[in-house]
Amino acid sequence: PYLLVFWPSMSHLVLNNHTRCIVRKIDPSVVSSALRSVAGLPEVDLVRAHKQHGELVSAIASTGVTVHELPSDGFPDSVFIEDTAVYAEHQVCVTTPGAPSRRGETSRVAEKMHELAALDWNDMGVMDDGLHVAHVHDMDQEARLDGGDVLFTGFEFIVGESTRTNAAGANVLRDCFPHMNVLTIDIRDCDALHLKSACSMAGPSHVLFGGEMGRFICSQVEEKALFVYEKMSHLPDTEAANAIYVNKVLIRRADEEFPKSADALRALAAVSGGASECRVIQIAADELAKVDGALTCCALFL
Ligand code: GLY
């Protein structure tokens, strides 16, 4: 790997300039029918899940983005909208999710993306090149891609080849984003569902990892990434490493949910994009976590 001198400031620019976020309502069928990788956990408490999800959406809105909320359309997992599209630099790639029961979720998301693409983004003051929408299924019928397996660090994509995402899916990303590095990590032997179950961006040029799986991903990033990241933080708890950094706000799991990681979580803000400029919001999210939902799962930032 090599360090480009402009890289930290570019990462800053990318992560701090989001203008929109698409979220999706929780479908009541999440209780009976959402996919779950760990059997035997208690049922999702729908009331509590709504409360926690509402707090997350409010936190997202406080970052200054316009929030668009889509209906759930009867799909048990559709609140996890992250899996249905990948966005970077005015380009959207609508995915073909790995789980057959989730493929129908993409049509509503694609419809919204095309609606946004039809807007004059110049009028929004930030985007100046429109929004382009591509579909994985148009590019490769065999490709499978879940957005939860895709970490965009600012300039490069880190993609987990998982039970949901295959090599063809990563190749479609390469076609969609030809000027960006796409590195793949085989996580099929790891015990969490998606790549971002154990890592996320905690700030510009600051990658956060958690648990054993996070250690493995971190070692692979050190070996394969095109960029040297300024900060790689590690937490004892895998799930605590899924945080949202956007527009100088770090939305992360609450201290009381992960006491072992609390000290390290508190230290994150001090290194995320400059000590003084990062606001931190703690969110409890253990209800949707029963069905593999993490914080990033519930949001698609543009
Ligand atoms: N329950 C989220 C997923 O399996 O995709």
Side-chain angles (χ1 to χ4, degrees):
Y2 57 89
L3 179 67
L4 300 180
V5 285
F6 58 88
W7 157 237
S9 58
M10 284 307 294
S11 180
H12 208 280
L13 206 64
V14 169
L15 299 182
N16 288 328
N17 276 295
H18 287 286
T19 58
R20 296 170 188 271
C21 180
I22 310 176
V23 300
R24 212 156 175 178
K25 286 185 189 298
I26 298 175
D27 198 85
S29 66
V30 75
V31 178
S32 57
S33 309
L35 299 171
R36 48 166 79 209
S37 64
V38 181
L41 291 178
E43 260 193 5
V44 173
D45 176 333
L46 202 52
V47 173
R48 213 162 157 264
H50 275 298
K51 179 175 179 293
Q52 292 180 347
H53 186 253
E55 285 166 1
L56 174 59
V57 173
S58 298
I60 288 169
S62 83
T63 69
V65 295
T66 301
V67 176
H68 305 267
E69 187 177 61
L70 304 183
S72 59
D73 294 334
F75 291 107
D77 285 294
S78 58
V79 65
F80 304 128
I81 189 169
E82 170 183 61
D83 292 317
T84 59
V86 173
Y87 168 82
E89 298 189 340
H90 308 185
Q91 175 72 51
V92 173
C93 182
V94 177
T95 67
T96 303
S101 67
R102 299 200 56 189
R103 303 229 171 105
E105 293 173 26
T106 57
S107 49
R108 176 74 71 172
V109 174
E111 182 186 280
K112 186 70 190 177
M113 294 301 181
H114 285 287
E115 181 193 315
L116 292 175
L119 294 178
D120 181 357
W121 285 62
N122 286 315
D123 285 351
M124 302 305 297
V126 179
M127 297 289 184
D128 55 8
D129 187 29
L131 183 70
H132 307 277
V133 186
H135 294 256
V136 168
H137 69 75
D138 290 343
M139 300 167 83
D140 185 340
Q141 301 279 313
E142 303 304 316
R144 300 289 177 264
L145 186 67
D146 275 19
D149 282 319
V150 181
L151 180 65
F152 181 52
T153 65
F155 260 162
E156 70 184 335
F157 287 104
I158 301 172
V159 178
E161 280 183 44
S162 67
T163 55
R164 299 284 179 85
T165 296
N166 60 14
N171 281 335
V172 166
L173 269 194
R174 291 187 178 100
D175 290 343
C176 246
F177 300 93
H179 55 294
M180 280 191 213
N181 185 43
V182 176
L183 73 90
T184 57
I185 300 175
D186 187 345
I187 57 163
R188 283 171 295 179
D189 287 337
C190 295
D191 54 8
L193 180 64
H194 286 127
L195 181 90
K196 282 192 278 187
S197 305
C199 66
S200 60
M201 295 308 287
S205 199
H206 180 183
V207 196
L208 178 62
F209 303 93
E212 275 308 300
M213 180 171 168
R215 286 208 185 283
F216 169 69
I217 297 169
C218 182
S219 66
Q220 291 281 296
V221 170
E222 280 169 343
E223 193 182 309
K224 299 179 178 175
L226 198 53
F227 297 93
V228 174
Y229 294 93
E230 281 189 297
K231 186 78 188 168
M232 310 262 252
S233 299
H234 191 268
L235 302 174
D237 297 291
T238 307
E239 284 171 285
N242 182 283
I244 295 172
Y245 177 90
V246 63
N247 298 350
K248 300 183 181 174
V249 181
L250 178 66
I251 304 172
R252 51 91 160 168
R253 297 291 289 271
D255 286 345
E256 55 273 21
E257 289 192 293
F258 296 101
K260 279 192 287 180
S261 297
D263 286 347
L265 278 168
R266 276 193 290 271
L268 288 179
V271 289
S272 288
S276 57
E277 26 176 6
C278 178
R279 184 161 61 87
V280 179
I281 304 175
Q282 296 189 37
I283 294 288
D286 55 317
E287 280 307 325
L288 290 177
K290 292 172 183 169
V291 286
D292 298 296
L295 296 177
T296 60
C297 302
C298 298
L300 250 178
F301 287 96
L302 306 181

